[in-house]
Amino acid sequence: LFLCLSFLIFNSSLLIGTVRYVSKTGTSTPPYTSWQTAADSIQKCINICVDGDTVYVTNGVYKENLVINTVISLIGSSMDSTIISGVGTTSNRLVDFTQNGSIKNFYINGRGISSAQDGIIGFHTDIIVKDCRIENLDDAIVLFSSTSAVENTLIKNFNKRAIWDECASNDCLGIYRNNIIISTGSTETPVYFSFGGKPTFTNNIVIEEVFRLTGVDIQYNFGALVKNNLVSGYYYENIRAGQIVSDTVYFENNVSVNSPLAYSTSTGDRTIIRNNIAKDSYKGIE
């Protein structure tokens, strides 16, 4: 037991990386380990990072497309004043995680909803998105074959989806909680879980301001938990589950307001609907 504990402590110490800094007022002197020598570009700092590093970014507008190819934590000063801007950039991926990592306290502002630019992208990577503001994009967050977490994030003014989580197996266990999603008549379902995985969607507010068919849609998954959410204003239905492969979908303690259909399911005996409220609907459950 002592040898095992010693081994774990030793290996944990190897994961403690270097703290690096990004600032518009730094001297941009590698390895960017103080505010005085901070990089003037986020990507410039990422390029010298190794797994386990933490990058702090101070207030400012950073017009760059980021490729995060090491396991790092990227931390801004504020979701209002630390801005990753897609304006003037050419890539269709504003923040592209090719490795696991986390991003916190950023305003991720795309170049426009008609520009085909996506916000945060993760393919076969596990990402933590926390305390961010994301807007003016085609898709805000796109995750394929990923077990990720999105928390305390404001998403609005997007063309297609706020959250798109797709997984080809049943081992993706994404967690989405305490987010605010405001859609304004764009073209797709704002919260879309599909093709595998068992997502957890709790304590979120999802509101349609103009015209969109469905608020939260779960299709071909291996199960899901949709709990303690407020969903309002979708033209056809607020929350839907269909064609669940196995296991169970739970709709619990949700509030559905101002939609012709509050809750819709076609999963048969694999759906449990309990303790929900449906207000201003033609149908409560279909």
Side-chain angles (χ1 to χ4, degrees):
L1 180 62
F2 174 77
L3 290 174
C4 289
L5 182 61
S6 300
F7 176 79
L8 288 172
I9 292 172
F10 174 74
N11 280 277
S12 297
S13 67
L14 296 179
L15 297 177
I16 300 174
T18 302
V19 176
R20 307 183 196 274
Y21 300 89
V22 178
S23 171
K24 292 294 186 179
T25 60
T27 60
S28 201
T29 306
Y32 317 125
T33 52
S34 70
W35 285 118
Q36 291 73 25
T37 62
D40 58 3
S41 156
I42 301 173
Q43 188 64 57
K44 191 183 293 184
C45 188
I46 291 171
N47 289 344
I48 70 165
C49 284
V50 298
D51 289 353
D53 284 0
T54 299
V55 176
Y56 286 98
V57 184
T58 194
N59 296 341
V61 179
Y62 301 87
K63 293 185 178 181
E64 9 184 356
N65 301 115
L66 303 183
V67 178
I68 302 174
N69 52 14
T70 51
V71 183
I72 64 170
S73 296
L74 190 62
I75 303 174
S77 297
S78 164
M79 68 159 63
D80 294 316
S81 57
T82 309
I83 304 168
I84 300 172
S85 175
V87 177
T89 63
T90 57
S91 174
N92 287 337
R93 297 180 179 183
L94 195 48
V95 182
D96 187 1
F97 280 87
T98 64
Q99 295 289 335
N100 299 345
S102 66
I103 183 168
K104 181 179 180 181
N105 296 341
F106 279 93
Y107 176 14
I108 298 169
N109 184 32
R111 60 175 182 250
I113 62 173
S114 61
S115 65
Q117 186 177 62
D118 295 332
I120 297 175
I121 310 295
F123 289 85
H124 301 280
T125 59
D126 299 335
I127 304 167
I128 296 173
V129 181
K130 191 172 183 179
D131 301 323
C132 288
R133 175 182 168 191
I134 306 172
E135 58 183 296
N136 299 320
L137 292 151
D138 195 28
D139 290 303
I141 299 175
V142 180
L143 301 167
F144 289 157
S145 297
S146 168
T147 292
S148 294
V150 179
E151 302 180 52
N152 306 330
T153 291
L154 169 64
I155 305 174
K156 64 178 185 176
N157 200 32
F158 49 91
N159 182 46
K160 292 181 181 175
R161 296 187 174 108
I163 296 171
W164 181 6
D165 182 337
E166 185 170 307
C167 184
S169 65
N170 64 353
D171 57 356
C172 300
L173 304 172
I175 296 175
Y176 304 87
R177 59 192 176 199
N178 303 326
N179 304 292
I180 297 175
I181 296 167
I182 302 173
S183 56
T184 52
S186 28
T187 59
E188 305 287 346
T189 298
V191 179
Y192 187 60
F193 303 110
S194 64
F195 297 103
K198 297 179 182 179
T200 296
F201 189 75
T202 58
N203 300 96
N204 303 283
I205 296 173
V206 185
I207 296 175
E208 169 60 25
E209 291 190 330
V210 183
F211 174 94
R212 199 182 289 211
L213 294 182
T214 302
V216 179
D217 198 3
I218 302 160
Q219 296 288 338
Y220 302 102
N221 290 90
F222 286 88
L225 173 63
V226 180
K227 185 174 182 178
N228 299 337
N229 302 287
L230 168 64
V231 185
S232 175
Y234 288 88
Y235 183 78
Y236 186 67
E237 60 207 342
N238 276 339
I239 301 175
R240 175 173 67 182
Q243 305 299 321
I244 300 304
V245 178
S246 63
D247 212 331
T248 305
V249 172
Y250 295 87
F251 292 167
E252 297 182 348
N253 306 340
N254 300 287
V255 176
S256 169
V257 180
N258 190 28
S259 176
L261 177 55
Y263 307 96
S264 172
T265 177
S266 57
T267 61
D269 60 1
R270 290 193 299 276
T271 304
I272 293 178
I273 303 175
R274 59 192 175 200
N275 301 332
N276 299 282
I277 292 173
K279 184 179 185 295
D280 297 332
S281 295
Y282 178 70
K283 291 182 181 179
I285 300 172
E286 179 179 74

